């Protein structure tokens, strides 16, 4: 079977958006550390925010947080202490970060063969690095690693294909 | 002045509430979607400004905006859309439907303050 190809430039609006959302809302500087194509089903981290994409372009975006970075990020957005946050607060906050990341990137695909609408975020928790997220085999999944100025790692997974005939 | 925040994310409602409190607006009511917002409005006839997200379950912010602007009781409430929907067509749609202003997420507290002040001074 022919291997699906991927245009790595598709990742750029999402990367730009991650950096902007963290800088503006979380007051945290991230730097991009890696870019790979996903080969195993396992996702990095413990808290995952998933947003589906549907339209001329389709796929999904997953933001993968280690638990500590998730709680730190939400506390910074709310201007409160981590100890005051409930699990629900953290899950809601991570979902809103994902919503802003994907929503901001969305406009850059407007009018292209990849334009899409986004679903509401779904946030799930799992044991460290144990969650299997099966991406559709016909859509390559790009995995971007980031590191925060507090030394935490964070991963963004993007699967996006065009449904339009070229 | 009473202000209504409509967003399905409790995090975003808290962020906006923090911004409003810093501006000395403390009379704030909240709703998690467009349907709940209509119930809140029925019980709070003195709301003068609404900060409304676009993408929400049950009833979107755009649908709520249309309901508000089509209702004599609510049509004078100023509405600021606060949303990730940054495509020009959506901004135009919202303004045509009666939104007074538009804030694109992510935003700084300064941007929210500036848009609220500008909207209330219109």
């Amino acid at each position: 079977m022919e291997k699906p190809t991927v245009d790595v430039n598709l990742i750029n609006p999402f990367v730009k958006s991650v950096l902007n959302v963290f800088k503006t809302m979380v007051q945290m500087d991230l730097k991009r550390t890696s870019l790979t194509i996903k080969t195993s089903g396992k996702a990095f981290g413990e808290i995952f925010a998933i947003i589906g994409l549907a339209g001329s372009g389709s796929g999904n975006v997953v933001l993968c947080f280690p638990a500590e970075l998730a709680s730190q990020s939400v506390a910074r957005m709310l201007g409160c202490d981590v100890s005051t946050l409930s699990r629900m607060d953290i899950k809601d906050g991570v979902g809103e970060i994902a919503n802003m990341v994907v929503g901001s990137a969305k406009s850059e695909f407007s009018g292209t063969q990849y334009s899409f609408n986004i679903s509401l975020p779904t946030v799930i928790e799992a044991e460290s690095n144990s969650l299997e997220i099966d991406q559709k085999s016909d859509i390559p999944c790009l995995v971007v690693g980031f590191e925060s100025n507090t030394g935490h790692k964070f991963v963004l997974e993007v699967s996006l294909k065009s449904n339009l005939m070229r | 002045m009473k202000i209504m925040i409509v967003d399905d994310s409790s995090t975003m409602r808290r962020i906006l509430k923090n911004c409003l409190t810093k501006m000395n607006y403390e009379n704030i009511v909240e709703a998690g979607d467009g349907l709940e917002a209509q119930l809140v409005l029925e019980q709070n006839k003195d709301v003068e400004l609404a900060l409304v997200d676009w993408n929400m379950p049950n009833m979107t912010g755009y649908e709520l905006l249309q309901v508000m602007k089509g209702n004599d009781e609510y049509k004078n409430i100023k509405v600021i859309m606060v949303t990730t929907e940054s495509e020009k067509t959506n901004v135009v749609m919202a303004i045509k439907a009666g939104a007074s202003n538009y804030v694109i997420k992510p935003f700084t507290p300064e941007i929210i303050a500036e848009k609220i002040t500008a909207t209330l001074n219109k």
Side-chain angles (χ1 to χ4, degrees), chain A residues 13 22 27 31 47 70 84 89 105 125 139 149 152 163-164:
Chain A
F22 273 82
Q27 277 109 51
K31 66 176 178 192
I47 301 185
T84 64
D89 290 335
E125 297 167 282
I139 315 179
N149 51 4
H152 290 98
N163 298 313
L164 299 180

Side-chain angles (χ1 to χ4, degrees), chain A residues 103 106 117-118, chain B residues 54-55 83-87 90-91 102 104:
Chain A
K106 178 186 165 208
N117 287 314
I118 66 175
Chain B
W54 190 302
N55 293 313
T83 170
T84 59
E85 287 292 342
S86 58
E87 286 173 45
N90 289 341
V91 179
Y102 205 98
I104 293 166

Side-chain angles (χ1 to χ4, degrees), chain A residues 25 78 92-93 96 106-107, chain B residues 9-11 18 85-86 105 107:
Chain A
M25 301 301 292
L78 293 171
D92 184 88
E96 186 57 19
K106 178 186 165 208
S107 64
Chain B
S9 164
S10 60
T11 305
N18 288 346
E85 287 292 342
S86 58
K105 299 175 187 173
F107 54 77

Side-chain angles (χ1 to χ4, degrees), chain A residues 20-21 24-25 74 77-80 84-85 88-89 92-93 96 99-100 103-104 106-107 110 116 118 120, chain B residues 7-12 14-15 18 53 55-58 84-87 89-90 104-109:
Chain A
N20 185 31
V21 168
T24 309
M25 301 301 292
V74 177
M77 279 204 300
L78 293 171
C80 68
T84 64
L85 296 173
M88 285 308 295
D89 290 335
D92 184 88
E96 186 57 19
N99 182 44
M100 287 188 279
S104 297
K106 178 186 165 208
S107 64
S110 175
F116 53 78
I118 66 175
L120 295 171
Chain B
D7 199 303
D8 58 323
S9 164
S10 60
T11 305
M12 188 48 65
R14 277 173 72 176
I15 291 169
N18 288 346
D53 184 22
N55 293 313
M56 294 182 288
N58 304 319
T84 59
E85 287 292 342
S86 58
E87 286 173 45
T89 49
N90 289 341
I104 293 166
K105 299 175 187 173
F107 54 77
T108 60

Side-chain angles (χ1 to χ4, degrees), chain A residues 3-19:
Chain A
K3 280 189 178 175
T5 56
V6 60
D7 177 0
V8 292
N9 291 319
L10 289 177
I11 203 77
N12 292 336
F14 295 98
V15 170
K16 194 171 127 191
S17 187
V18 164
L19 299 176

